[in-house]
């Protein structure tokens, strides 16, 4: 017989939790209750308090006020890490798997079975195989972790958490680096694990995923708890209103109502027969004042094409022309000099120096313009940084603030500032709104509209439909080739079907 939800004991419960860092309240009287066997979404804008709450639920931080309970019992003391591992684990957006170790070594790291003081490798591999088989995870125990797909590494992390005895797993942006098929498989595994008694806290900026996989949702805004409700009782517009405090959905300029470019508008960027490791014979032109979307599955080659344009990858064959002049392949300084600005895919490893300030990151590509011999004074850097803070709405105490202390959305705005610093003629944006909240997404996409009106050419490389709605036309890549083109005004189902390699209009 099912126990009524009101009488069931929560797997985890935070009660009136407050956490401050100096004068800043990261959490203010926040409560959340996650019930057994459910997937419970935790959503909110960057800076809403999600990360701080996760750090408290996983025992990495102690609340100033309030408490955490597991199954109705007070949480262990912070120092008892083994007791926390038995109750909860977090699979973070940036994997904690050690890539140069095997799957088995990762599963039993720091607790390897030993015999006479020496690691018993055969027992460890046997136990790893048994663990993977039990949870139906199809990877080899002796495989190098770095050779696994992102999807497989996530499942290995989940298996490691379950091996400690934890049946409450926090998934932090689990789909951020997955394509459509991988997301479907992950969701199937989550559903199967739920039926086996595993409970999930699901953190995502992809609101559609909340409706696909979760049964309940909690919204945080400005460090406070706004609402907890069944997903079925909270329509998308109400969810966005709870997250932002404003009515209505995402305010993005849709290109469908945009006037056509005048005849004879010059071409800013041309690709001719471009070939690389995962793409072949890619050709298209991008005019001044035009926004083109380039989409496809993660494995379609779209990111590699964009990185080739920005000089981050060297194509094997073909040409890239900027204003009619051939661009030297695989040469970032040459791409910058020819007027190409880029927001790279991975802001933490390619877009930012996390230990440096907003001003230093924003001015990185123009230091030679700010001072003699390429050396700019701190005052000039800070002046430029402040200009970009005001232009892009970056929420930071000042231009000298270290970017590692900013929310994800504001970090991405700093990456955008760096791309715009050289006043580029062609702007290449790779997954520009990945992992950012609704309001940051609006601000970043508003930049696309603004620079287009200035006559710049923009290439938006993304799998996000909201990003692609800003485009005059969208090119779909499938298995390394451009397979379809959609003018502005496309229907979601048609574009998604094309990305998946399916035609909805075949006779």
């Amino acid at each position: 017989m099912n126990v009524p939800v009101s009488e069931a004991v929560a797997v985890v419960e935070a009660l009136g939790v407050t956490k401050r860092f100096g004068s800043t309240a990261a959490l203010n009287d926040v409560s959340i209750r996650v019930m057994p066997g459910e997937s419970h979404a935790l959503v909110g804008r960057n800076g809403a308090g999600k990360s701080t709450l996760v750090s408290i639920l996983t025992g990495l931080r102690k609340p100033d006020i309030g408490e955490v309970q597991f199954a109705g019992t007070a949480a262990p003391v912070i120092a008892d890490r083994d007791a926390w591992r038995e109750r909860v684990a977090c699979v973070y957006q940036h994997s904690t798997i050690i890539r140069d170790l095997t799957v088995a070594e990762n599963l039993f790291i720091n607790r390897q079975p030993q015999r006479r003081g020496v690691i018993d490798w055969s027992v460890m591999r046997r136990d790893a195989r048994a663990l993977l088989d039990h949870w139906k995870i199809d990877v080899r125990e002796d495989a190098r972790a770095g050779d696994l797909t992102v999807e497989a590494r996530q499942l290995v992390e989940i298996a490691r958490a379950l091996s400690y005895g934890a049946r409450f797993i926090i998934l932090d942006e689990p789909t951020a680096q997955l394509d459509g098929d991988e997301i479907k498989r992950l969701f199937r595994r989550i559903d199967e694990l739920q039926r086996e008694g595993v409970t999930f806290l699901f953190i995502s900026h992809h609101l559609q995923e909340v409706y696909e996989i979760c049964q309940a949702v909690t919204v945080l805004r400005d460090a406070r708890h706004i609402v907890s409700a069944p997903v079925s009782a909270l329509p998308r517009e109400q969810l966005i209103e709870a997250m932002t405090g404003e009515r209505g959905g995402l305010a993005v300029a849709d290109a469908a109502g945009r006037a056509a470019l005048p005849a004879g508008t010059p071409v800013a960027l041309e690709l001719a027969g471009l070939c690389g490791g995962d793409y072949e014979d890619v050709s298209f032109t991008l005019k001044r004042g035009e926004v083109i979307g380039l989409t496809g599955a993660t494995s379609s080659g779209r990111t590699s094409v964009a990185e080739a344009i920005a000089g981050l990858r060297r194509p094997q064959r073909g040409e890239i022309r900027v204003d009619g002049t051939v661009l030297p392949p695989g040469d970032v300084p040459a791409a910058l000099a020819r007027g190409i600005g880029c927001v790279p895919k991975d802001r933490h490893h390619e877009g930012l120096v996390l230990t440096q300030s907003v001003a230093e990151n924003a001015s990185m590509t123009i230091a030679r313009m700010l001072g003699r011999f390429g050396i700019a004074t701190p005052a000039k850097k800070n002046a430029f940084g402040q200009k970009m803070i005001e232009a892009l709405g970056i929420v930071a105490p000042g231009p000298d603030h270290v970017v590692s202390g900013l929310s994800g959305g504001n970090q991405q705005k700093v990456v955008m500032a760096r791309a715009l610093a050289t006043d580029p003629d062609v702007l290449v944006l790779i997954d520009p709104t990945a992992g950012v909240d609704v309001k940051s997404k609006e601000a970043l996409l508003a930049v696309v509209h603004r620079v287009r009106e200035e006559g710049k050419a923009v290439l938006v490389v993304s799998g996000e439909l909201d990003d692609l709605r800003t485009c005059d036309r969208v090119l779909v890549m499938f298995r390394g080739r451009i397979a379809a083109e959609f003018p502005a005004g496309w229907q979601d189902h048609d574009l998604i079907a094309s990305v998946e390699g399916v035609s909805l209009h075949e006779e």
Side-chain angles (χ1 to χ4, degrees):
M1 187 174 78
N2 291 331
V3 178
V5 171
S6 59
E7 297 178 17
V9 177
V11 169
V12 65
E13 191 168 11
L15 300 165
V17 168
T18 294
K19 183 67 180 178
R20 304 186 73 86
F21 298 100
S23 60
T24 302
L27 292 173
N28 192 341
D29 192 27
V30 168
S31 297
I32 186 172
R33 194 165 190 252
V34 182
M35 303 309 295
E38 73 177 2
S39 280
H40 190 118
L42 177 64
V43 301
R45 294 174 57 187
N46 290 115
K50 302 187 300 296
S51 296
T52 304
L53 180 57
V54 167
S55 70
I56 288 171
L57 293 178
T58 52
L60 297 178
R61 287 196 174 98
K62 184 178 180 180
D64 299 331
I65 302 171
E67 66 171 326
V68 174
Q69 295 181 355
F70 291 97
T73 303
V77 295
I78 293 291
D80 191 350
R81 298 313 307 161
D82 287 341
W84 280 94
R85 289 190 192 100
E86 291 170 1
R87 289 162 173 78
V88 58
C90 184
V91 178
Y92 293 96
Q93 180 179 352
H94 301 286
S95 177
T96 59
I97 289 289
I98 299 174
R99 299 172 69 93
D100 289 330
L101 298 184
T102 66
V103 169
E105 288 170 321
N106 272 284
L107 287 172
F108 292 103
I109 193 163
N110 293 330
R111 53 179 183 138
Q112 299 92 337
Q114 296 190 357
R115 185 179 182 185
R116 297 174 185 170
V118 178
I119 295 174
D120 192 328
W121 296 101
S122 61
V123 169
M124 184 171 70
R125 286 191 289 269
R126 182 195 68 199
D127 291 350
R129 185 69 263 154
L131 177 66
L132 295 166
D133 287 344
H134 177 78
W135 294 109
K136 301 181 181 68
I137 296 173
D138 187 20
V139 297
R140 289 186 2 255
E141 69 278 8
D142 58 350
R144 178 179 173 273
D147 295 332
L148 300 179
T149 63
V150 173
E151 173 191 15
R153 287 200 297 270
Q154 288 179 337
L155 292 174
V156 170
E157 290 197 74
I158 290 173
R160 182 169 64 189
L162 295 169
S163 73
Y164 281 97
R167 294 296 179 268
F168 171 52
I169 311 293
I170 300 171
L171 300 177
D172 178 23
E173 296 283 353
T175 65
Q177 300 177 61
L178 304 182
D179 65 23
D181 287 338
E182 290 170 331
I183 291 170
K184 290 174 186 174
R185 287 196 297 270
L186 176 65
F187 284 1
R188 281 198 297 270
R189 291 299 294 124
I190 290 173
D191 185 59
E192 290 166 2
L193 289 167
Q194 280 183 254
R195 289 199 295 270
E196 295 182 41
V198 181
T199 301
F200 291 95
L201 185 66
F202 185 86
I203 302 170
S204 179
H205 288 295
H206 300 268
L207 299 187
Q208 185 55 42
E209 295 175 357
V210 171
Y211 291 96
E212 288 179 30
I213 195 66
C214 296
Q215 293 78 51
V217 59
T218 290
V219 179
L220 301 184
R221 186 176 76 235
D222 298 332
R224 293 179 178 273
H225 173 269
I226 301 301
V227 65
S228 291
V231 168
S232 58
L234 203 62
R236 183 184 173 94
E237 284 198 2
Q238 288 183 25
L239 181 57
I240 292 176
E241 182 182 346
M243 292 171 62
T244 65
E246 300 172 6
R247 289 189 174 276
L250 189 69
V252 175
D254 194 320
R258 191 179 291 162
L261 290 171
T265 300
V267 171
L269 174 72
E270 182 179 2
L271 271 64
L274 207 66
C275 299
D278 58 353
Y279 59 93
E280 187 174 357
D281 196 26
V282 174
S283 301
F284 63 85
T285 59
L286 174 60
K287 296 181 178 180
R288 291 186 175 276
E290 185 180 27
V291 183
I292 287 183
L294 187 64
T295 192
T298 305
S299 58
S300 66
R302 61 180 167 93
T303 300
S304 298
V305 170
E307 290 176 342
I309 295 168
L312 294 167
R313 284 179 185 253
R314 186 183 181 92
Q316 295 169 353
R317 295 189 305 280
E319 288 185 340
I320 303 168
R321 303 188 189 99
V322 180
D323 290 331
T325 303
V326 175
L327 188 69
D331 189 335
V332 172
L336 287 169
R338 297 287 174 85
I340 294 179
C342 178
V343 170
K345 180 178 178 64
D346 188 339
R347 64 173 172 261
H348 287 120
H349 294 101
E350 299 169 319
L352 295 168
V353 179
L354 291 170
T355 55
Q356 293 190 356
S357 70
V358 172
E360 288 168 322
N361 274 278
S363 63
M364 198 171 291
T365 56
I366 58 166
R368 69 187 184 281
M369 298 165 60
L370 296 178
R372 295 183 63 189
F373 310 113
I375 301 172
T377 64
K380 286 188 175 180
K381 287 182 181 179
N382 284 341
F384 181 78
Q386 185 60 40
K387 175 184 173 184
M388 284 301 188
I389 285 174
E390 293 169 3
L392 297 177
I394 300 169
V395 179
D400 56 349
H401 190 72
V402 176
V403 295
S404 60
L406 301 181
S407 70
N410 286 299
Q411 287 180 351
Q412 190 72 340
K413 290 178 186 178
V414 175
V415 178
M416 182 71 83
R418 192 189 72 170
L420 294 172
T422 56
D423 192 26
D425 295 321
V426 178
L427 189 59
V428 179
L429 308 177
I430 308 175
D431 294 330
T433 67
V436 307
D437 62 80
V438 174
K439 298 306 289 184
S440 295
K441 181 178 285 193
E442 287 181 355
L444 289 163
L445 295 179
V447 173
V448 174
H449 182 67
R450 187 169 76 235
V451 299
R452 174 201 166 275
E453 290 192 325
E454 294 171 359
K456 302 181 188 302
V458 185
L459 181 67
V460 179
V461 183
S462 177
E464 287 285 316
L465 298 186
D466 287 329
D467 295 355
L468 300 172
R469 264 183 257 283
T470 65
C471 302
D472 299 293
R473 53 194 174 105
V474 177
L475 307 177
V476 178
M477 290 190 66
F478 184 74
R479 294 178 180 171
R481 293 177 175 269
I482 294 178
E485 178 176 329
F486 290 82
W490 40 265
Q491 297 297 311
D492 291 9
H493 59 274
D494 286 331
L495 188 65
I496 292 169
S498 183
V499 167
E500 300 292 339
V502 177
S503 174
L504 297 180
H505 304 292
E506 290 180 351
E507 295 184 2

